Amino acid sequence: LMIRRPPRSTLDRASAASDVYKRQVNGVQILDGRVRAGRDTNWGGANVIAGHVSQPSTIIVDGMFGNGAGQIPAGAPIVDAKLRMYMYHNIAADEDQTLHAHVLNVDLRSHTGNKDGEVEAGEMTWTKKSWPNVGWGANEDGSAGPVSGEDYSADIYSVFNAVGLPAPDANVGEWFDIDLTSIVQDWQDGTYANNGVLLMGQEGSGMYFWSTEQSGFEPRMIVSIVPEPASAMLMLLGASVLARRRRR
């Protein structure tokens, strides 16, 4: 994770307690997966994340919370959390498009797969949560795709709207942020297990983002937190020592 310290000029008594650290989880720590409607194939190893109604995609950020270097400490107030992805193609140019983010209720870490269209035992497909024997839904009966209210929350936690977006190509894309603040806060306080999110494009949407396989354009999670009081005091102390040295 990359920690960005606030500018030194903000380290005064009034602002120290509310200074924000930004933590970035890069593609190495993010697992993504994708299935395609009507196909028993796995696209976890493809370089594409789809914002398409017939190609739901999963994003799992592993190891976000803890006391290790770069992790979000337990109880640290989360101010803001965004999933940042690079859109490289849009097949529904100049049309309003919507992408919904839902909380995943099932742990798919071992099912995202690493193939580009093929499928191996244990990977997820359109009809199987774990190929070839375990289906989607509470009954694991081979439902058509992940089941709302069972495999993922029916509640919509975030809505990303692309209004009148032009159709970029592989060389002319753009970074976009999807607000996941409430989801990450619920992961932190235990409301939901941190199984990641399901991204579901709505009817008429055809957005495509680079996945973790596309070096330099991987999805990343940007999380801003309020530092602990001890950290703020250390920052103030450092600024005070520096000021004394300058006066000398």
Side-chain angles (χ1 to χ4, degrees), residues 63-246:
M64 288 183 69
F65 305 103
N67 297 316
Q71 291 182 304
I72 300 173
I78 294 174
V79 178
D80 184 76
K82 292 184 174 69
L83 174 64
R84 182 165 295 171
M85 299 195 300
Y86 191 88
M87 185 188 298
Y88 80 95
H89 187 61
N90 170 27
I91 63 175
D94 300 320
E95 296 181 9
D96 295 353
Q97 300 175 72
T98 303
L99 185 70
H100 290 170
H102 301 265
V103 170
L104 275 170
N105 294 331
V106 292
D107 188 349
L108 298 174
R109 283 172 176 81
S110 61
H111 306 303
T112 54
N114 58 10
K115 296 295 188 295
D116 190 354
E118 301 175 20
V119 62
E120 292 186 353
E123 296 178 343
M124 63 183 186
T125 72
W126 183 250
T127 63
K128 302 295 182 182
K129 180 169 59 180
S130 178
W131 178 265
N133 298 318
V134 183
W136 294 103
N139 296 324
E140 300 181 345
D141 57 1
S143 299
V147 179
S148 175
E150 297 177 16
D151 299 306
Y152 64 94
S153 171
D155 295 332
I156 300 169
Y157 264 66
S158 183
V159 177
F160 170 70
N161 290 310
V163 180
L165 201 65
D169 60 33
N171 297 313
V172 185
E174 188 174 350
W175 289 101
F176 288 93
D177 289 342
I178 300 174
D179 185 8
L180 297 184
T181 304
S182 62
I183 292 179
V184 176
Q185 290 171 339
D186 281 350
W187 288 340
Q188 184 189 43
D189 66 20
T191 301
Y192 290 103
N194 180 13
N195 292 323
V197 294
L198 179 77
L199 301 178
M200 184 79 74
Q202 300 307 289
E203 198 66 44
S205 297
M207 298 170 279
Y208 290 89
F209 305 87
W210 288 130
S211 75
T212 54
E213 278 71 31
Q214 192 71 18
S215 179
F217 295 92
E218 306 96 332
R220 65 270 327 256
M221 185 76 80
I222 309 297
V223 180
S224 299
I225 66 172
V226 176
E228 297 175 358
S231 299
M233 290 303 295
L234 287 173
M235 291 156 61
L236 279 173
L237 178 61
S240 175
V241 170
L242 181 60
R244 287 200 298 271
R245 287 180 178 174
R246 285 179 174 175

